[in-house]
Amino acid sequence: MLLLLQPERRWRLLSLVAAWGAHRGSPAALTRAGMAEKPLSEPSIDLSGSPPPVKRRRRRLAQEKAAGLPEAGESRYVPPPKKRNLGFTEAHFAETSYYFEGGLRKVWPYYFDFQTYCKGRWVGKSLLDVFSNEFRSQPLEYYRAAARAGRLRLNEQPVRDLSVVLKNNDFLRNTVHRHEPPVTAQPIEFLEENEEVVVVDKPSSLPVHPCGRFRHNTIIFILGKEHNLKELHTIHRLDRLTSGVLMFAKSADVSKRIDEQVRERQLEKEYVCRVLGEFPEAEVTCEEPILVVSYKVGVCRVDPKGKACKTVFQRLSYNGKTSVVKCFPYTGRTHQIRVHLQFLGHPIINDPIYNAGVWGPAKGKGGNINKTDEELLRALVEEHISKESGAILDIAEEDLKSIVGDKEHGSPGNCVKPAQFSPISTNSCRTEESKSENEGGTSMCTQNSALQLQAHESENGETCTSEHQVEKDHLCRECKIVRPDPSPKDLVMYLHALRYKGADFEYCSKMPKWAQDNWEET
């Protein structure tokens, strides 16, 4: 019958059949074939502007999936993990600023996002369980209030219900109001800066890099913020209370080259310290193995199960009470010099850990402690809390209660007073301009904010007055108390890195004042 049709009509009919088979007679296919017919009835038109019910349901399901909420009959959706940039950006350096007061470098309080992917031991537990057992620095009511304020986010979506069960690859973000302890205002002296390395004379009390409660009051941040030296590579580290030669590489290749010298024992290190008592005149070698009691708290002791190490000591002077000693560590164990001096019965005179009474009457001489590791840690942390100086342990506040239990830090005996807030200022909302664009933080407004005129002195000794917006956060416990400032003397330990020598370099610092023969303790 097709043969009887005219060629033009036959071609159009064949096109129609092909379109119908490929697209099941869709109107678009019929139109392309030129044979579309007018529908028998016009579809109803929704003049309200809202999408049809089917599209609305699809949109709602997509939003729930993006928010990580469970769909009906399905498990909660968790997006795949993303690669995180672990370096520091301009936004990180701009989080806050410094001011100087009473010989101390201080940091204005600021908002900060703690970020972490779900740890393996958290999988299958609720957020409430995790906060109860692993983040005990704050009561549970604080985390409930933080959730209500939108400061807790799971996979970048606000968490209102802490009973949500965590899954692998969950990404948690907690926005907090952060206060940093003060450090010495002593400026950082440069010993060398060239195309390969930056070498400084590190003041005591400054950590090398962010840790615990310290972030902006660290060598890395001060060099980045005040000297525009960024993306430095750490070659070696000094304890926070140790001063002296500190080296950074400007490239990964230089860092790798010097690190190889360290591993091959080609790096010569020379320290100087002032210790209790009359140190022997003859050279002393200590090779007692050192065991880390707690990585979290940062406490070590001599123990046969520890790692092998070696330190050589040479006395320089003795003033009738204390001795100045040179130290040559041939290995790089944590607190090696301090632990070996304690074992020898000559601890550093102002070492807040290894010259503390919690070690017993002999203060750990010969390894005699008469305490279990748990008892020792508890005693050290309780002493740290009682002094409220922040100069004893490099430990984050959230780790304290896991050791000493649920004692409140701000007990009457701790010299902590309620803060006297200034009158509330209007327009106290904090914008997101100082936060990283990829942090995805929510803007928040503090309940109390005081505009203060703060007199401070700069590093060159000049005194100036600046206007600063001091924020008081209604959820922040630190905003409600006043901690006494440590004196600059409390932030110095008499241990100094005097010289570092490698295969193709040698850097030396000056002998500190407390190591000179005519020095007298005041």
Side-chain angles (χ1 to χ4, degrees):
M1 185 164 87
L2 288 172
L3 296 176
L4 299 178
L5 297 175
Q6 296 180 359
E8 181 180 353
R9 293 179 61 85
R10 186 166 61 246
W11 177 83
R12 292 179 64 187
L13 183 59
L14 289 173
S15 299
L16 174 62
V17 173
W20 184 275
H23 302 285
R24 298 185 179 180
S26 66
L30 294 175
T31 302
R32 287 193 298 270
M35 294 293 290
E37 296 183 0
K38 183 178 180 180
L40 295 178
S41 61
E42 294 288 341
S44 60
I45 300 176
D46 184 2
L47 299 179
S48 65
S50 61
V54 175
K55 289 187 177 181
R56 287 201 299 269
R57 182 176 180 276
R58 289 176 181 173
R59 183 179 298 176
R60 177 177 57 80
L61 293 177
Q63 291 174 346
E64 289 181 354
K65 187 174 184 179
L69 301 174
E71 300 178 15
E74 296 185 14
S75 59
R76 182 170 58 83
Y77 172 76
V78 178
K82 298 179 180 179
K83 185 177 180 180
R84 300 172 63 190
N85 181 16
L86 300 180
F88 300 119
T89 65
E90 290 294 336
H92 294 135
F93 290 120
E95 288 168 337
T96 185
S97 58
Y98 301 114
Y99 67 101
F100 298 83
E101 183 179 55
L104 300 174
R105 176 190 289 267
K106 297 184 177 181
V107 173
W108 298 110
Y110 58 98
Y111 285 102
F112 175 76
D113 283 353
F114 283 105
Q115 308 174 37
T116 181
Y117 277 100
C118 178
K119 301 183 185 301
R121 63 180 180 273
W122 299 352
V123 174
K125 296 182 179 179
S126 69
L127 271 176
L128 192 64
D129 292 334
V130 172
F131 288 134
S132 298
N133 298 319
E134 302 211 23
F135 296 91
R136 300 172 62 188
S137 63
Q138 300 284 358
L140 285 179
E141 184 53 40
Y142 166 82
Y143 295 108
R144 293 190 180 98
R148 291 192 296 269
R151 300 187 188 183
L152 296 180
R153 277 166 288 170
L154 188 64
N155 303 322
E156 304 301 354
Q157 300 299 320
V159 176
R160 307 297 183 185
D161 185 3
L162 298 184
S163 65
V164 61
V165 176
L166 293 174
K167 303 180 67 174
N168 191 32
N169 293 332
D170 269 335
F171 183 68
L172 182 64
R173 188 190 296 267
N174 179 22
T175 301
V176 300
H177 197 234
R178 191 165 184 174
H179 296 243
E180 295 193 24
V183 297
T184 178
Q186 179 183 343
I188 298 174
E189 180 182 349
F190 284 79
L191 302 177
E192 177 70 30
E193 183 186 356
N194 53 43
E195 294 180 352
E196 292 190 339
V197 298
V198 174
V199 186
V200 301
D201 190 350
K202 181 184 99 65
S204 183
S205 79
L206 271 75
V208 176
H209 52 77
C211 60
R213 297 178 64 195
F214 296 89
R215 180 172 171 84
H216 290 264
N217 267 343
T218 60
I219 297 292
I220 286 288
F221 263 67
I222 293 173
L223 291 179
K225 289 163 69 78
E226 296 186 347
H227 302 279
N228 200 33
L229 292 169
K230 302 167 183 175
E231 299 182 4
L232 297 176
H233 299 259
T234 304
I235 296 176
H236 69 106
R237 298 171 185 173
L238 298 177
D239 296 340
R240 178 166 61 90
L241 295 179
T242 302
S243 57
V245 178
L246 181 63
M247 302 169 55
F248 296 96
K250 288 189 174 181
S251 68
D253 291 339
V254 174
S255 177
K256 182 179 179 181
R257 187 183 73 218
I258 300 179
D259 188 56
E260 289 176 355
Q261 296 182 30
V262 175
R263 290 198 305 268
E264 296 174 3
R265 306 288 172 85
Q266 296 179 352
L267 187 65
E268 298 179 15
K269 298 175 287 184
E270 181 179 333
Y271 288 70
V272 64
C273 62
R274 185 173 284 274
V275 303
L276 277 178
E278 184 178 2
F279 199 86
E281 287 187 289
E283 184 176 275
V284 176
T285 299
C286 186
E287 298 183 273
E288 296 294 332
I290 292 179
L291 177 71
V292 177
V293 176
S294 171
Y295 287 99
K296 181 179 292 185
V297 179
V299 177
C300 307
R301 62 177 173 83
V302 166
D303 190 279
K305 299 188 295 293
K307 293 183 178 180
C309 50
K310 176 182 177 181
T311 314
V312 175
F313 300 98
Q314 296 176 353
R315 193 181 89 178
L316 296 181
S317 64
Y318 173 59
N319 66 2
K321 295 181 180 180
T322 61
S323 303
V324 176
V325 179
K326 270 193 176 181
C327 318
F328 302 88
Y330 286 83
T331 49
R333 308 303 180 197
T334 302
H335 296 179
Q336 176 176 321
I337 294 175
R338 299 163 65 182
V339 174
H340 275 174
L341 285 169
Q342 181 198 47
F343 181 85
L344 294 173
H346 298 280
I348 297 171
I349 64 174
N350 57 352
D351 189 326
I353 296 180
Y354 299 102
N355 193 25
V358 299
W359 296 87
K363 294 187 177 180
K365 180 179 180 179
N368 297 320
I369 302 173
N370 298 324
K371 281 186 176 72
T372 65
D373 289 348
E374 291 75 15
E375 291 171 341
L376 177 63
L377 289 176
R378 178 182 290 270
L380 283 169
V381 170
E382 287 178 345
E383 184 169 335
H384 164 85
I385 294 173
S386 67
K387 290 188 175 181
E388 284 290 339
S389 66
I392 297 179
L393 302 175
D394 292 329
I395 181 171
E397 291 297 314
E398 59 265 22
D399 296 329
L400 292 176
K401 286 189 177 181
S402 64
I403 297 173
V404 300
D406 295 327
K407 293 183 179 181
E408 281 293 331
H409 304 346
S411 62
N414 291 349
C415 300
V416 179
K417 302 177 182 179
Q420 300 297 322
F421 290 161
S422 300
I424 298 176
S425 170
T426 59
N427 192 24
S428 59
C429 287
R430 176 183 177 92
T431 67
E432 285 296 308
E433 293 176 357
S434 63
K435 297 176 71 67
S436 173
E437 292 181 359
N438 59 5
E439 286 181 343
T442 58
S443 61
M444 59 197 76
C445 178
T446 60
Q447 283 192 345
N448 300 298
S449 180
L451 190 63
Q452 297 183 348
L453 290 178
Q454 176 65 52
H456 62 272
E457 58 183 22
S458 62
E459 286 195 357
N460 59 13
E462 296 178 353
T463 301
C464 56
T465 303
S466 65
E467 191 178 82
H468 185 86
Q469 189 80 5
V470 181
E471 296 180 347
K472 302 294 184 180
D473 186 273
H474 69 287
L475 294 182
C476 178
R477 181 175 60 186
E478 289 290 323
C479 284
K480 297 179 176 65
I481 60 177
V482 175
R483 298 183 185 274
D485 284 338
S487 69
K489 180 182 176 181
D490 295 333
L491 299 178
V492 176
M493 184 175 67
Y494 298 151
L495 177 61
H496 182 82
L498 195 63
R499 182 176 69 97
Y500 269 65
K501 181 181 179 180
D504 54 355
F505 63 86
E506 181 175 4
Y507 303 112
C508 300
S509 65
K510 298 177 182 178
M511 187 75 77
K513 292 181 179 179
W514 49 259
Q516 297 173 6
D517 294 339
N518 59 353
W519 177 84
E520 293 183 3
E521 187 172 10
T522 57

